[in-house]
Amino acid sequence: MGVPTYGGAQPVIKANDTTVFTGGSSTGGVSGLTYDGKDSLYVYWVVQPGTWTFTATGVGRLDNLALGRPVTGNNSLENSNWGRGRLTDGTLTSVTGAKGFTSIDFASADVSDTPVWIEIDLGADRAIGSVTLHPRTDADGAGGGSAGFPADFTFQTRTDGGTTYTPARTITGEPNPNGAAQTYTLTSANGRYLRLRATRLGRPASDETNTYRLQLAEIRIK
């Protein structure tokens, strides 16, 4: 049998109130239960006849492949409010201590010479149907709407062990989302890594009208 973990960062599994999996490994010690491996979605057991109750905490969600997954990228600003890891922490709006991701500042919206990218590691090759971008919500953009939402960008995928990226969808001239999450359907996208690569940034924040950044509260993947 398989106990679902759905890509959670630190799942803890109990069988009949005894911890049998923690820290990424089986703890053993329960009669009639034999550990049989794991993958990005489940931890597997061979179970002898009897009555069993399994509980799991620290798991991800089937409807969000990105939840809790590690994020890499370039030109990011890391501090007490902003950071790459906050793109996948499950917080869909910008709050103190978890505002989301912000790039460093640029003097122009056109960053095609030095594209800003962020990449999510899904743990294993997965079929990717859509990506939802949640805009920054703690500050308005200059002139209203959302600050930092990208205008021109591409979604790319890379398979486990692969060295090249495959374009999955390119967006140009994206309108300002005005605070609403935007979902982008991908066709035949598959890979362990999903990358967002922005070449033109959107509206600056109202408190730094001459500074352009890529800013998002969260990324969700299905």
Side-chain angles (χ1 to χ4, degrees), residues 97-177:
K99 291 187 176 182
F101 168 87
T102 183
S103 71
I104 61 174
D105 59 287
F106 294 87
S108 168
D110 184 357
V111 292
S112 55
D113 288 339
T114 55
V116 181
W117 60 267
I118 43 183
E119 182 173 291
I120 299 172
D121 179 356
L122 302 178
D125 285 339
R126 304 296 302 275
I128 301 171
S130 66
V131 182
T132 300
L133 303 182
H134 292 260
R136 176 187 181 183
T137 60
D138 67 304
D140 291 334
S146 299
F149 202 84
D152 295 350
F153 54 98
T154 299
F155 294 111
Q156 302 172 315
T157 60
R158 178 167 63 91
T159 57
D160 190 6
T163 58
T164 60
Y165 288 86
T166 300
R169 184 172 176 181
T170 297
I171 310 295
T172 57
E174 179 69 353
N176 191 282

Side-chain angles (χ1 to χ4, degrees), residues 19-105:
T19 299
V20 293
F21 186 89
T22 187
S25 301
S26 168
T27 62
V30 174
S31 178
L33 189 70
T34 304
Y35 176 67
D36 198 37
K38 64 179 181 177
D39 57 26
S40 62
L41 292 180
Y42 293 90
V43 176
Y44 298 98
W45 310 91
V46 175
V47 182
Q48 298 302 313
T51 300
W52 296 91
T53 300
F54 288 86
T55 60
T57 57
V59 301
R61 291 171 53 186
L62 184 60
D63 65 348
N64 182 10
L65 301 176
L67 186 63
R69 302 306 307 173
V71 183
T72 55
N74 70 339
N75 294 321
S76 68
L77 181 65
E78 305 282 325
N79 58 32
S80 60
N81 282 310
W82 301 96
R84 293 185 296 267
R86 293 185 176 90
L87 279 174
T88 58
D89 64 1
T91 304
L92 305 184
T93 57
S94 301
V95 297
T96 300
K99 291 187 176 182
F101 168 87
T102 183
S103 71
I104 61 174
D105 59 287

